[in-house]
């Protein structure tokens, strides 16, 4: 079996989560779709080689805070037409914000607690009708809301608060979540 990628590699998964909950699950699902993907545990020298990037930051106490340099690299990637998914329980309301955070259309409302249970799609969005029982890491899950061109796409059911925002700019697309995919 032989495969060749011409142009950008479709997917990069950057796993900075100290207990590696999401990245292997994301990779498995992307592989099942037959899409070429690479998974790394540190930022590669040139992220512009990839058409889309997934960044997994983790949930406290196994999380990583995005550095200023990493945030600058991701912001430049987005300005060049990138597509970025980023998840982290503390990255939106607790951690220091980077240039990348500003691209997501997310306002971090509060640090949160450990009460994430049922995640529901928001009516009128691509997630309408979806519902998931969340059983993953659950410490200090940030409560978020959409700002600017961002659109809230997922909510915790009870207590009600936002957990995912999609944002589409003229040159880039983002999805940010405060829970783990895996």
């Amino acid at each position: 079996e032989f495969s060749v990628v011409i142009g950008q590699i479709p997917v990069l998964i950057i796993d900075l989560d100290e207990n590696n909950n999401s990245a292997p699950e994301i990779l498995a699902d992307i592989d099942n779709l037959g899409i070429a993907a690479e998974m790394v545990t540190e930022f590669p020298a040139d992220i512009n080689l990839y058409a889309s990037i997934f960044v997994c930051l983790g949930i406290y106490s196994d999380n990583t805070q995005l550095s200023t340099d990493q945030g600058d690299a991701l912001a430049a990637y987005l300005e060049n037409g990138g597509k970025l998914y980023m998840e982290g329980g503390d990255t939106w309301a607790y951690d220091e914000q980077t240039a990348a955070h500003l691209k997501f259309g997310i306002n971090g409302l509060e640090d949160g607690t450990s009460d994430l249970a049922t995640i529901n799609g928001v009516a009128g969005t691509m997630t309408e009708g979806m519902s998931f029982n969340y059983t993953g890491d659950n410490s200090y899950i940030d409560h978020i809301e959409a700002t600017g061109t961002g659109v809230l796409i997922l909510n915790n059911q009870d207590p009600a608060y936002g957990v995912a925002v999609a944002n589409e700019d003229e040159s880039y697309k983002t999805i940010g979540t405060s829970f783990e995919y895996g």
Side-chain angles (χ1 to χ4, degrees), residues 109-162:
L109 297 172
E110 64 179 272
D111 191 25
T113 60
S114 55
D115 57 8
L116 187 59
T118 302
I119 299 171
N120 294 318
V122 175
T125 70
M126 63 184 160
T127 61
E128 182 174 1
M130 293 181 180
S131 185
F132 309 95
N133 291 323
Y134 184 77
T135 58
D137 292 349
N138 201 351
S139 297
Y140 303 103
I141 302 295
D142 287 349
H143 299 192
I144 61 176
E145 69 179 357
T147 63
T149 55
V151 176
L152 187 67
I153 59 171
L154 293 170
N155 281 311
N156 187 51
Q157 182 173 307
D158 186 30
Y161 58 86

Side-chain angles (χ1 to χ4, degrees), residues 11 26 33 77 80 105 107 114 133-135 142 146 154 159 164 179 182:
V11 178
I26 293 169
L33 294 171
Y77 167 79
N80 287 327
N107 180 37
S114 55
N133 291 323
Y134 184 77
T135 58
D142 287 349
L154 293 170
F179 63 91

Side-chain angles (χ1 to χ4, degrees), residues 2-100:
F2 179 75
S3 68
V4 175
V5 174
I6 298 173
Q8 288 181 304
I9 300 164
V11 178
L12 172 66
I13 303 162
I14 304 174
D15 187 8
L16 303 177
D17 178 3
E18 293 178 15
N19 63 10
N20 314 104
N21 284 337
S22 289
E25 297 298 325
I26 293 169
L27 180 62
D29 287 346
I30 290 171
D31 282 347
N32 285 338
L33 294 171
I35 297 170
E38 295 180 2
M39 186 171 75
V40 298
T41 56
E42 56 187 46
F43 270 69
D46 187 2
I47 60 175
N48 291 302
L49 296 174
Y50 302 90
S52 59
I53 299 176
F54 291 72
V55 177
C56 304
L57 297 172
I59 305 294
Y60 181 83
S61 65
D62 296 308
N63 61 313
T64 298
Q65 183 172 336
L66 200 65
S67 74
T68 299
D69 289 344
Q70 292 166 335
D72 289 346
L74 291 172
Y77 167 79
L78 288 171
E79 287 300 323
N80 287 327
K83 298 171 191 74
L84 178 60
Y85 166 90
M86 189 163 71
E87 65 178 31
D90 278 338
T91 197
W92 307 109
Y94 183 78
D95 291 347
E96 188 172 318
Q97 302 297 281
T98 69

